[in-house]
Amino acid sequence: MSSNVVPIKEKEVLAPGKPGKDFVRIPLPMDAAPELVIDTANDDERMWMPLSENVAIRPLMLNVVQGSWVNLIRAKAGGIVSRHRHPAPVIGHTLEGAWGYLEHDWVATKGTFIFEPAGETHTLVVDPTVGHMTTLFHNMGPLLYVDENGKQIGYEDVFTRIEKFRAYYGSNGLGEGFVESLIR
């Protein structure tokens, strides 16, 4: 038996959040950031910041130490979501709907995992035959927004995202402090 495996006593029932009377909780190291657990199933709609008429973003974690962030992107209609370049990798997982990049021949549907290497420029579009999508993205660095010719027209990093979220949540009643709970 591996030294990592802890045998469970016969007939002992363990469940998340209810570890049992003999369970010993090992604390986090003193300087560790607290865990972040978010249930988005019943989100207040105000948590979704509009990016355009049919596109919204829901931040999940904003990592100011590594310059990365994790968010959900939701589109309620087919069409272009954004055109951008990544100087750092991005990981995505499609939760519903269908989307892809005009520059590629694949379509991401529910359950599709995507790894985007650094350096690529692409145009994210929602498949018009499906007409919606929700995808979790982990951006490991900034976004460089570009025009149809690839010329940079904008920039966004974790700090500009935090500023935008603070302003949005401050104006919609959730309060600027809402974003603080997502910063690590």
Side-chain angles (χ1 to χ4, degrees):
M1 185 178 337
S2 166
S3 62
N4 298 9
V5 177
V6 177
I8 296 175
K9 297 174 189 168
E10 193 173 327
K11 297 185 181 181
E12 184 177 9
V13 176
L14 301 177
K18 299 176 183 170
K21 63 179 175 138
D22 295 328
F23 180 79
V24 177
R25 187 179 307 263
I26 300 168
L28 283 171
M30 184 172 70
D31 298 316
E35 66 188 0
L36 185 56
V37 179
I38 300 170
D39 180 1
T40 62
N42 297 306
D43 264 356
D44 181 326
E45 193 58 33
R46 296 175 299 165
M47 294 176 184
W48 289 84
M49 183 177 79
L51 296 177
S52 66
E53 182 180 346
N54 293 310
V55 179
I57 185 170
R58 194 325 184 169
L60 298 173
M61 184 180 76
L62 303 156
N63 186 328
V64 296
V65 174
Q66 294 178 323
S68 65
W69 66 89
V70 179
N71 57 245
L72 296 170
I73 297 281
R74 178 180 70 193
K76 294 182 176 182
I80 293 177
V81 173
S82 74
R83 183 178 289 117
H84 54 270
R85 179 174 31 255
H86 297 284
V90 173
I91 293 172
H93 187 256
T94 307
L95 303 176
E96 62 179 39
W99 65 278
Y101 296 122
L102 293 180
E103 296 80 6
H104 293 285
D105 60 1
W106 53 263
V107 175
T109 58
K110 183 177 180 177
T112 303
F113 170 85
I114 302 98
F115 171 76
E116 302 173 14
E120 184 174 78
T121 299
H122 43 242
T123 309
L124 194 159
V125 294
V126 174
D127 185 328
T129 60
V130 176
H132 71 280
M133 72 86 136
T134 302
T135 301
L136 180 139
F137 285 109
H138 182 174
N139 291 269
M140 297 182 200
L143 289 174
L144 305 176
Y145 295 107
V146 298
D147 66 15
E148 60 277 357
N149 298 310
K151 182 181 177 200
Q152 184 175 334
I153 57 172
Y155 167 88
E156 195 151 45
D157 65 14
V158 69
F159 302 105
T160 60
R161 285 267 164 128
I162 289 171
E163 287 176 31
K164 289 177 182 178
F165 290 135
R166 275 193 185 120
Y168 174 70
Y169 294 132
S171 70
N172 77 2
L174 287 176
E176 292 180 12
F178 176 76
V179 75
E180 304 302 324
S181 67
L182 306 176
I183 296 174
R184 294 292 182 272

